[in-house]
Amino acid sequence: MDDQRLRAYLLGQLSEAEAESLEARLLAEHEVFEALESVEDDLIDDFARGRLDAAESARVRERYENQPDRVRFARALAPRSARAHVVSFPRRQWLPLAAAAALAVAVGGILLRPERAPELPLPSAAPPPPSAVLSLGTSRSGGTPSEIALTPDAPALQLRVRLDPADRYDRYSMELRSAAGEVAWHVDDLRASADAGELDLLASVPSRALPGGGYELGVRGVNEGGSPEDLGFVTVRITRRP
Amino acid sequence: MKRGAKGHWQLTPAAFERLLLALDTDQERAALAYEQLRQRIVGLMRWWGAWMAEDLADQTLDRVARKLEEGAVVPAASFGAYVRGVARMVFYEWTRSSRAQLTESETVVPAEHTLEPALDQLDRCVAALEPAEQKLVLRYYGDGKHAELRRALAEELGISQTALRIRAHRLRQRLERCMSECLAKN
């Protein structure tokens, strides 16, 4: 069940028939109910953090006026979680990007370490996973492969793929193919993050999917009801450090 | 069928057994399914705006049990829709009752200036969690792009995103309960 649909339900944006159908489903399937609860948490958080528009805020206020504890909790949680959260890809700590099709790689140790709430000390976070910044080329064969080294204890490789700002789609998919043409890893339903005129895709590739060697990363974009379109490729070479 | 002093139907052991059987032929699984169904009806009532959601959920289940005892045949595939229909009727009747006009003692969303005690209590409640739980819940609900943050967090923990969201929600529920109870005491 799509989170956006569940959120629309909570905001009263579904038709009566759609809402009735969803309610029947959530009564029949506990997983749907749990998903809705989770989406509800985020919605209340967004309300408490002032992220909703006027109409959405009014709807939440109306819906939760009988549950003031939940809103109060969300308001209290906001400053605490904001201080403790970990940003995986802080822009200021990334290596400068080249405009070339295949780009330099930054491996490990460049991620922002989690900030700590002074009044609420937290345990140390796990070491940041290795990361790489890639820009797409338009040719499958073009460019020198970007070199990425993975240590044995790295659970995953964090990828930031820079897109052409004109390549705005509802959703994106990303795929890594080995030199033999086999799909080593694939992810759908990604959404791009836009910041300062730049368009990026973020993804986490489990290390176990990358035993080493040459890979081709392909990205596709798709709009609602449309066909996927290839947006570009970049070749990478993974080496496993002992 | 059994009627109470005021003529209201009361749940009988036989009707309850029939309801459990409709949920699952295995007794233990049926008991779990009953609890989960009740939880879902409570949630639904809350989303509809009922402040006495637990009572209304019980009334819904009692009424479903009665219907089944009276011979209603509900295909398994339609059970959710059937329960939803009964729940809606129970809710509708409640909105027309005098009790619906009453509200809980506090229905106003607290203003920012009343937040300080909540912050103090939340800190205490968070501190009572295991360190890993603290980290999980605060990061899960942290600022930033949720999809990416949570995908990375699930990866770090080696669990699916579905498992992560359930774990985070349960921790949040514990914290909410803890904070509310502490504030109610003080």
Side-chain angles (χ1 to χ4, degrees):
Chain A
M1 176 67 67
D2 179 63
D3 281 4
Q4 289 302 320
R5 191 171 178 78
L6 296 173
R7 189 178 175 97
Y9 166 72
L10 292 171
L11 287 169
Q13 295 168 343
L14 296 186
S15 69
E16 197 171 322
E18 288 173 325
E20 186 175 329
S21 169
L22 192 151
E23 287 167 356
R25 229 186 121 181
L26 75 88
L27 284 176
E29 300 173 45
H30 203 67
E31 297 78 13
V32 176
F33 174 76
E34 287 180 319
L36 186 59
E37 284 191 312
S38 175
V39 169
E40 184 187 33
D41 290 339
D42 289 338
L43 181 64
I44 297 174
D45 281 349
D46 285 345
F47 172 72
R49 298 173 196 199
R51 291 181 186 146
L52 302 182
D53 63 31
E56 291 171 337
S57 289
R59 176 68 180 166
V60 170
R61 193 174 290 113
E62 177 192 4
R63 187 178 272 273
Y64 295 98
E65 68 176 356
N66 289 335
Q67 301 172 59
D69 283 0
R70 300 199 67 189
V71 177
R72 181 168 47 193
F73 175 83
R75 286 188 171 146
L77 183 64
R80 296 301 184 248
S81 55
R83 285 176 190 165
H85 89 274
V86 176
V87 179
S88 298
F89 299 98
R91 184 168 300 280
R92 61 191 166 86
Q93 297 200 16
W94 282 90
L95 298 175
L97 290 169
L103 193 64
V105 170
V107 179
I110 62 169
L111 296 181
L112 180 68
R113 297 200 178 275
E115 295 173 15
R116 302 284 180 244
E119 64 275 57
L120 188 64
L122 291 175
S124 298
S131 55
V133 187
L134 302 169
S135 286
L136 295 176
T138 52
S139 163
R140 283 179 177 271
S141 57
T144 305
S146 299
E147 298 285 340
I148 301 173
L150 289 180
T151 54
D153 59 342
L157 170 65
Q158 306 286 355
L159 289 178
R160 175 185 285 263
V161 178
R162 184 134 297 174
L163 304 174
D164 184 323
D167 284 338
R168 289 181 179 271
Y169 289 82
D170 293 338
R171 295 165 200 278
Y172 299 83
S173 65
M174 206 184 284
E175 189 173 273
L176 273 168
R177 282 182 180 271
S178 69
E182 294 173 346
V183 176
W185 170 81
H186 177 95
V187 63
D188 282 318
D189 209 24
L190 288 175
R191 290 172 192 274
S193 62
D195 190 17
E198 291 171 341
L199 199 62
D200 292 338
L201 281 180
L202 305 177
S204 177
V205 187
S207 289
R208 61 180 178 277
L210 302 169
Y215 296 87
E216 178 192 78
L217 176 77
V219 177
R220 306 176 97 186
V222 61
N223 284 321
E224 201 66 42
S227 302
E229 293 180 35
D230 287 329
L231 302 184
F233 307 89
V234 59
T235 52
V236 295
R237 175 161 294 283
I238 307 289
T239 53
R240 307 294 300 220
R241 282 184 182 159
Chain B
M1 186 186 306
K2 185 178 175 184
R3 292 191 176 275
K6 294 182 180 178
H8 293 133
W9 184 87
Q10 289 182 335
L11 183 65
T12 64
F16 185 63
E17 288 298 324
R18 193 177 291 266
L19 173 58
L20 290 180
L21 191 61
L23 293 171
D24 201 301
T25 51
D26 178 85
Q27 276 192 328
E28 284 189 15
R29 286 203 302 264
L32 175 64
Y34 177 88
E35 280 308 314
Q36 290 187 333
L37 177 59
R38 183 179 181 281
Q39 186 188 345
R40 299 197 291 270
I41 300 170
V42 169
L44 193 58
M45 291 292 181
R46 278 199 285 107
W47 289 316
W48 285 342
W51 56 264
M52 45 185 298
E54 304 239 348
D55 284 355
L56 298 183
D58 288 337
Q59 287 180 39
T60 300
L61 286 166
D62 287 0
R63 200 172 295 191
V64 170
R66 185 182 76 187
K67 297 282 187 190
L68 293 174
E69 192 184 38
E70 290 172 351
V73 178
V74 185
S78 308
F79 197 73
Y82 183 79
V83 174
R84 189 261 173 203
V86 174
R88 192 67 191 172
M89 184 57 68
V90 168
F91 173 75
Y92 177 68
E93 291 170 1
W94 174 75
T95 59
R96 299 181 66 188
S97 72
S98 56
R99 293 192 74 189
Q101 308 310 316
L102 303 173
T103 57
E104 289 177 305
S105 57
E106 177 63 84
T107 61
V108 179
V109 174
E112 290 294 340
H113 67 267
T114 65
L115 201 58
E116 206 52 44
L119 283 169
D120 292 343
Q121 293 299 347
L122 177 61
D123 286 349
R124 291 192 184 94
C125 293
V126 170
L129 296 178
E130 295 293 325
E133 293 174 332
Q134 293 177 19
K135 190 164 72 170
L136 188 155
V137 75
L138 293 177
R139 283 182 61 187
Y140 185 89
Y141 294 109
D143 277 337
K145 293 183 174 21
H146 282 167
E148 286 84 9
L149 287 172
R150 292 171 183 179
R151 191 177 294 124
L153 185 55
E155 187 67 39
E156 277 180 39
L157 295 170
I159 60 176
S160 70
Q161 289 192 61
T162 301
L164 174 64
R165 85 191 309 182
I166 292 171
R167 202 180 283 184
H169 174 70
R170 288 179 181 164
L171 285 171
R172 183 186 178 112
Q173 281 185 314
R174 276 171 60 188
L175 288 176
E176 278 191 29
R177 268 199 305 274
C178 171
M179 197 180 95
S180 294
E181 287 168 6
C182 291
L183 289 170
K185 283 180 195 166
N186 297 329

